[in-house]
Amino acid sequence: AMSRIIVVGTLWGDEGKGKIVDVLTENADVVVRAQGGNNAGHTILIGTNEFKLHLTPSGILQTHTECIMASGMVIDPEVLLNELRTLKKQGIQFEKRLKISEGAHVIFPYHKALDEVMEKSKGVRAIGTTKRGIGPCYADKANRVGIRMGELVRPEEFKSILESVLHLKNKELQFI
């Protein structure tokens, strides 16, 4: 039987899940990041080399580990591309090991705008969001108006969905 380890955080983040996963990945074949976005992140030191991860699973630093970004994630493409460029510059080969679920939702600039406007409108009840659009993206997922990673690679479908969603988001921003 294949053994499995699941690391679950029960707080609001910043529990050190990524660092624990990194320690556990030494012998792992697969690491799956089930949910979350780039609101926190963690730094991993290997010798004198420092790696800062915000989206990619911690197992990316192990040469033998397949890493999966699952459908429960919300992904800011700009943050992901910058992180992957940095990892590549640091000598990390991930091209055949990193898999991104087509069902993971995409964080767009309008999510960040909504995050900021909603946070400001809460006044003293503000929760201290990172304003990175994570909550509004998850809200779109729940409301079934979100755009997923798989739709980014299908241009005609993406264009149609984006036009529809932008119409909704522009109205939403006017009312907040």
Side-chain angles (χ1 to χ4, degrees), residues 48-110:
T48 59
N49 296 322
E50 182 176 88
F51 300 91
K52 294 182 183 275
L53 302 176
H54 297 279
L55 283 170
T56 51
S58 296
I60 203 72
L61 302 178
Q62 301 291 336
T63 59
H64 64 280
T65 304
E66 180 179 21
C67 293
I68 299 170
M69 298 173 72
S71 62
M73 289 190 68
V74 291
I75 299 172
D76 183 327
E78 182 180 9
V79 172
L80 178 60
L81 290 173
N82 286 336
E83 188 168 309
L84 294 177
R85 278 188 208 105
T86 300
L87 286 170
K88 194 169 209 155
K89 284 180 193 169
Q90 292 178 296
I92 304 300
Q93 299 296 318
F94 52 80
E95 287 82 1
K96 294 181 180 169
R97 298 185 302 111
L98 181 63
K99 311 281 193 256
I100 302 171
S101 170
E102 287 193 8
H105 279 250
V106 181
I107 296 174
F108 284 92
Y110 59 78

Side-chain angles (χ1 to χ4, degrees), residues 153-171:
V153 297
R154 295 187 288 276
E156 287 305 312
E157 186 177 338
F158 173 65
K159 181 181 178 195
S160 170
I161 292 169
L162 182 62
E163 286 173 354
S164 170
V165 171
L166 285 177
H167 178 73
L168 290 171
K169 294 302 163 184
N170 284 327
K171 283 186 173 193

Side-chain angles (χ1 to χ4, degrees), residues 19-31:
K19 289 182 182 190
I20 295 299
V21 170
D22 179 61
V23 169
L24 296 172
T25 59
E26 189 175 330
N27 299 311
D29 295 323
V30 179
V31 173

